[in-house]
PDB file of all heavy atoms in Angstrom:
ATOM      1  N   ILE A   5       1.121  10.810   4.251  1.00 98.00           N
ATOM      2  CA  ILE A   5       0.752  11.489   5.501  1.00 98.00           C
ATOM      3  C   ILE A   5       0.906  12.981   5.259  1.00 98.00           C
ATOM      4  O   ILE A   5       1.947  13.432   4.747  1.00 98.00           O
ATOM      5  CB  ILE A   5       1.662  11.040   6.677  1.00 98.00           C
ATOM      6  CG1 ILE A   5       1.470   9.546   6.957  1.00 98.00           C
ATOM      7  CG2 ILE A   5       1.368  11.863   7.929  1.00 98.00           C
ATOM      8  CD1 ILE A   5       2.365   8.990   8.066  1.00 98.00           C
ATOM      9  N   ILE A  37      11.762  13.174   9.690  1.00 98.00           N
ATOM     10  CA  ILE A  37      10.910  12.285   8.883  1.00 98.00           C
ATOM     11  C   ILE A  37      11.660  11.858   7.627  1.00 98.00           C
ATOM     12  O   ILE A  37      11.536  10.709   7.172  1.00 98.00           O
ATOM     13  CB  ILE A  37       9.583  13.006   8.539  1.00 98.00           C
ATOM     14  CG1 ILE A  37       8.769  13.263   9.815  1.00 98.00           C
ATOM     15  CG2 ILE A  37       8.761  12.195   7.531  1.00 98.00           C
ATOM     16  CD1 ILE A  37       7.516  14.134   9.628  1.00 98.00           C
ATOM     17  N   GLY A  69      -2.736  14.666   9.276  1.00 98.00           N
ATOM     18  CA  GLY A  69      -2.275  14.910  10.646  1.00 98.00           C
ATOM     19  C   GLY A  69      -2.902  16.141  11.288  1.00 98.00           C
ATOM     20  O   GLY A  69      -3.609  16.024  12.294  1.00 98.00           O
ATOM     21  N   GLY A  77     -11.249  21.208   4.192  1.00 98.00           N
ATOM     22  CA  GLY A  77     -12.020  20.294   3.337  1.00 98.00           C
ATOM     23  C   GLY A  77     -11.167  19.374   2.479  1.00 98.00           C
ATOM     24  O   GLY A  77     -11.674  18.809   1.492  1.00 98.00           O
ATOM     25  N   GLU A  84     -13.979  12.570  -2.732  1.00 98.00           N
ATOM     26  CA  GLU A  84     -14.620  12.771  -4.047  1.00 98.00           C
ATOM     27  C   GLU A  84     -13.795  12.117  -5.151  1.00 98.00           C
ATOM     28  O   GLU A  84     -14.330  11.623  -6.138  1.00 98.00           O
ATOM     29  CB  GLU A  84     -14.727  14.262  -4.364  1.00 98.00           C
ATOM     30  CG  GLU A  84     -15.901  14.986  -3.704  1.00 98.00           C
ATOM     31  CD  GLU A  84     -15.660  16.484  -3.607  1.00 98.00           C
ATOM     32  OE1 GLU A  84     -14.888  17.039  -4.430  1.00 98.00           O
ATOM     33  OE2 GLU A  84     -16.220  17.083  -2.684  1.00 98.00           O
ATOM     34  N   VAL A 142     -12.168  32.285  28.242  1.00 93.00           N
ATOM     35  CA  VAL A 142     -12.509  33.006  27.013  1.00 93.00           C
ATOM     36  C   VAL A 142     -11.879  32.245  25.842  1.00 93.00           C
ATOM     37  O   VAL A 142     -10.665  32.006  25.845  1.00 93.00           O
ATOM     38  CB  VAL A 142     -11.982  34.458  27.060  1.00 93.00           C
ATOM     39  CG1 VAL A 142     -12.381  35.218  25.795  1.00 93.00           C
ATOM     40  CG2 VAL A 142     -12.495  35.182  28.302  1.00 93.00           C
ATOM     41  N   ILE A 166     -10.789  39.410  25.643  1.00 93.00           N
ATOM     42  CA  ILE A 166     -11.910  39.790  24.746  1.00 93.00           C
ATOM     43  C   ILE A 166     -11.447  40.896  23.804  1.00 93.00           C
ATOM     44  O   ILE A 166     -11.685  40.839  22.586  1.00 93.00           O
ATOM     45  CB  ILE A 166     -13.125  40.241  25.593  1.00 93.00           C
ATOM     46  CG1 ILE A 166     -13.732  39.038  26.298  1.00 93.00           C
ATOM     47  CG2 ILE A 166     -14.157  40.968  24.731  1.00 93.00           C
ATOM     48  CD1 ILE A 166     -14.743  39.394  27.366  1.00 93.00           C
ATOM     49  N   HIS A 212       1.243  18.327  29.180  1.00 95.00           N
ATOM     50  CA  HIS A 212       1.708  19.395  30.086  1.00 95.00           C
ATOM     51  C   HIS A 212       1.759  20.662  29.261  1.00 95.00           C
ATOM     52  O   HIS A 212       2.692  20.857  28.485  1.00 95.00           O
ATOM     53  CB  HIS A 212       3.099  19.079  30.620  1.00 95.00           C
ATOM     54  CG  HIS A 212       3.151  17.852  31.483  1.00 95.00           C
ATOM     55  ND1 HIS A 212       3.206  17.915  32.851  1.00 95.00           N
ATOM     56  CD2 HIS A 212       3.152  16.546  31.171  1.00 95.00           C
ATOM     57  CE1 HIS A 212       3.242  16.696  33.348  1.00 95.00           C
ATOM     58  NE2 HIS A 212       3.219  15.839  32.337  1.00 95.00           N
ATOM     59  N   GLU A 242     -15.737   4.620  30.551  1.00 98.00           N
ATOM     60  CA  GLU A 242     -17.091   4.196  30.143  1.00 98.00           C
ATOM     61  C   GLU A 242     -18.057   5.373  30.183  1.00 98.00           C
ATOM     62  O   GLU A 242     -18.876   5.554  29.276  1.00 98.00           O
ATOM     63  CB  GLU A 242     -17.617   3.069  31.060  1.00 98.00           C
ATOM     64  CG  GLU A 242     -16.942   1.726  30.852  1.00 98.00           C
ATOM     65  CD  GLU A 242     -17.056   1.213  29.422  1.00 98.00           C
ATOM     66  OE1 GLU A 242     -18.044   1.526  28.733  1.00 98.00           O
ATOM     67  OE2 GLU A 242     -16.134   0.495  28.983  1.00 98.00           O
ATOM     68  N   VAL A 266     -10.051  10.321  14.059  1.00 98.00           N
ATOM     69  CA  VAL A 266      -9.777  10.233  15.495  1.00 98.00           C
ATOM     70  C   VAL A 266     -10.428  11.437  16.163  1.00 98.00           C
ATOM     71  O   VAL A 266     -10.321  12.561  15.679  1.00 98.00           O
ATOM     72  CB  VAL A 266      -8.257  10.158  15.799  1.00 98.00           C
ATOM     73  CG1 VAL A 266      -7.494  11.398  15.333  1.00 98.00           C
ATOM     74  CG2 VAL A 266      -8.023   9.936  17.294  1.00 98.00           C
ATOM     75  N   LEU A 271     -10.949  16.279  28.352  1.00 98.00           N
ATOM     76  CA  LEU A 271     -11.901  16.120  29.454  1.00 98.00           C
ATOM     77  C   LEU A 271     -11.413  16.801  30.723  1.00 98.00           C
ATOM     78  O   LEU A 271     -10.196  16.901  30.956  1.00 98.00           O
ATOM     79  CB  LEU A 271     -12.078  14.628  29.760  1.00 98.00           C
ATOM     80  CG  LEU A 271     -12.730  13.774  28.669  1.00 98.00           C
ATOM     81  CD1 LEU A 271     -12.605  12.299  29.024  1.00 98.00           C
ATOM     82  CD2 LEU A 271     -14.182  14.174  28.469  1.00 98.00           C
ATOM     83  N   ARG A 286      -8.159  15.564  15.432  1.00 98.00           N
ATOM     84  CA  ARG A 286      -6.848  15.046  15.023  1.00 98.00           C
ATOM     85  C   ARG A 286      -6.181  14.484  16.267  1.00 98.00           C
ATOM     86  O   ARG A 286      -6.686  14.656  17.379  1.00 98.00           O
ATOM     87  CB  ARG A 286      -6.024  16.221  14.494  1.00 98.00           C
ATOM     88  CG  ARG A 286      -6.116  17.340  15.540  1.00 98.00           C
ATOM     89  CD  ARG A 286      -5.191  18.470  15.420  1.00 98.00           C
ATOM     90  NE  ARG A 286      -5.506  19.481  16.415  1.00 98.00           N
ATOM     91  CZ  ARG A 286      -4.997  19.534  17.625  1.00 98.00           C
ATOM     92  NH1 ARG A 286      -4.148  18.610  18.040  1.00 98.00           N
ATOM     93  NH2 ARG A 286      -5.329  20.488  18.466  1.00 98.00           N
ATOM     94  N   ALA A 367      15.864  21.087  10.868  1.00 95.00           N
ATOM     95  CA  ALA A 367      16.266  21.136   9.456  1.00 95.00           C
ATOM     96  C   ALA A 367      17.677  20.553   9.393  1.00 95.00           C
ATOM     97  O   ALA A 367      18.321  20.357  10.428  1.00 95.00           O
ATOM     98  CB  ALA A 367      16.238  22.576   8.954  1.00 95.00           C
ATOM     99  N   ARG A 391       7.680   5.029  35.322  1.00 98.00           N
ATOM    100  CA  ARG A 391       9.025   5.348  35.836  1.00 98.00           C
ATOM    101  C   ARG A 391      10.088   4.869  34.843  1.00 98.00           C
ATOM    102  O   ARG A 391      11.011   5.594  34.490  1.00 98.00           O
ATOM    103  CB  ARG A 391       9.196   4.663  37.202  1.00 98.00           C
ATOM    104  CG  ARG A 391      10.516   4.779  37.858  1.00 98.00           C
ATOM    105  CD  ARG A 391      10.690   6.089  38.611  1.00 98.00           C
ATOM    106  NE  ARG A 391      11.212   7.144  37.742  1.00 98.00           N
ATOM    107  CZ  ARG A 391      11.080   8.432  37.971  1.00 98.00           C
ATOM    108  NH1 ARG A 391      10.419   8.883  39.003  1.00 98.00           N
ATOM    109  NH2 ARG A 391      11.591   9.308  37.155  1.00 98.00           N
ATOM    110  N   ARG A 413      11.821  18.873  33.231  1.00 97.00           N
ATOM    111  CA  ARG A 413      12.370  17.635  33.793  1.00 97.00           C
ATOM    112  C   ARG A 413      11.313  16.862  34.579  1.00 97.00           C
ATOM    113  O   ARG A 413      11.650  15.846  35.197  1.00 97.00           O
ATOM    114  CB  ARG A 413      13.552  17.937  34.740  1.00 97.00           C
ATOM    115  CG  ARG A 413      14.712  18.677  34.145  1.00 97.00           C
ATOM    116  CD  ARG A 413      15.608  17.931  33.179  1.00 97.00           C
ATOM    117  NE  ARG A 413      16.004  16.600  33.507  1.00 97.00           N
ATOM    118  CZ  ARG A 413      16.932  15.910  32.824  1.00 97.00           C
ATOM    119  NH1 ARG A 413      17.571  16.479  31.786  1.00 97.00           N
ATOM    120  NH2 ARG A 413      17.227  14.685  33.145  1.00 97.00           N
TER     121      ARG A 413
END
Side-chain angles (χ1 to χ4, degrees):
I5 296 178
I37 295 172
E84 279 158 26
V142 182
I166 289 168
H212 296 258
E242 288 302 330
V266 62
L271 294 170
R286 50 167 175 90
R391 176 82 272 158
R413 302 288 316 189

